Amino acid sequence: MAIRFDAFAPPVAHREAGRYAAATAWLTEYLVSHPDDARALAHLAHIQLLSRRDAAARIALARAETLAPDSPLVLRTRARLALKSGEIDDAAAAITRALVIDPADQENRLIWSAVLATKGDTGSAMQTLNAVLAERPDYAEALLNRA
């Protein structure tokens, strides 16, 4: 059985630990030699969003969308930013596209549950969130959303 290494494990680990500056530094350095990597740009946009640097997040996301408009990661990041900005219809459209492409992805379903909750459909949101947690009981972001 081959073990697949995700090149973005280091910045994601930094992000998950709340070390946004370290994640940003890693991605910024990576993007110097890989300026057209949509995944790196989407991860950077997500971290900037978490760092409350929404304008910078929008710039990184716009570049990622140009490079890979149908990437579930890019679409998910767009949905996160739209949710934060109160653009619920845009968030719903972006995460719906991501779910069509990858319906089993736990992060896609997590963001879908946030959209549902924001729209007032808390029952469906909780059902979706509980299904994600049944598959991954230690998913910190899902646990926070359920709280």
Side-chain angles (χ1 to χ4, degrees):
M1 176 170 108
I3 296 175
R4 189 177 145 240
F5 175 74
D6 184 351
F8 296 103
V12 168
H14 286 308
R15 180 192 75 209
E16 294 300 312
R19 296 185 303 264
Y20 303 142
T24 299
W26 191 99
L27 288 162
T28 301
E29 183 177 326
Y30 177 86
L31 284 163
V32 168
S33 57
H34 304 88
D36 293 333
D37 190 320
R39 286 183 65 207
L41 289 160
H43 281 298
L44 181 61
H46 184 188
I47 291 160
Q48 290 168 329
L49 179 64
L50 293 169
S51 301
R52 298 181 181 164
R53 298 180 57 223
D54 294 5
R58 287 185 191 285
I59 291 167
L61 180 59
R63 178 83 175 119
E65 287 178 318
T66 299
L67 295 166
D70 292 322
S71 160
L73 174 62
V74 171
L75 291 164
R76 189 168 52 246
T77 304
R78 178 183 183 88
R80 288 178 189 275
L81 184 57
L83 274 172
K84 185 175 181 189
S85 303
E87 300 164 2
I88 308 311
D89 290 338
D90 185 36
I95 202 62
T96 298
R97 283 179 52 210
L99 282 163
V100 166
I101 296 164
D102 190 354
D105 184 86
Q106 293 167 342
E107 279 192 78
N108 289 344
R109 292 185 291 139
L110 172 71
I111 301 305
W112 177 242
S113 73
V115 168
L116 289 170
T118 302
K119 288 184 163 202
D121 188 354
T122 54
S124 295
M126 286 304 293
Q127 184 178 18
T128 302
L129 198 53
N130 287 334
V132 169
L133 284 167
E135 296 170 15
R136 187 174 160 195
D138 62 342
Y139 191 178
E141 189 175 1
L143 289 167
L144 283 171
N145 283 4
R146 189 172 72 177

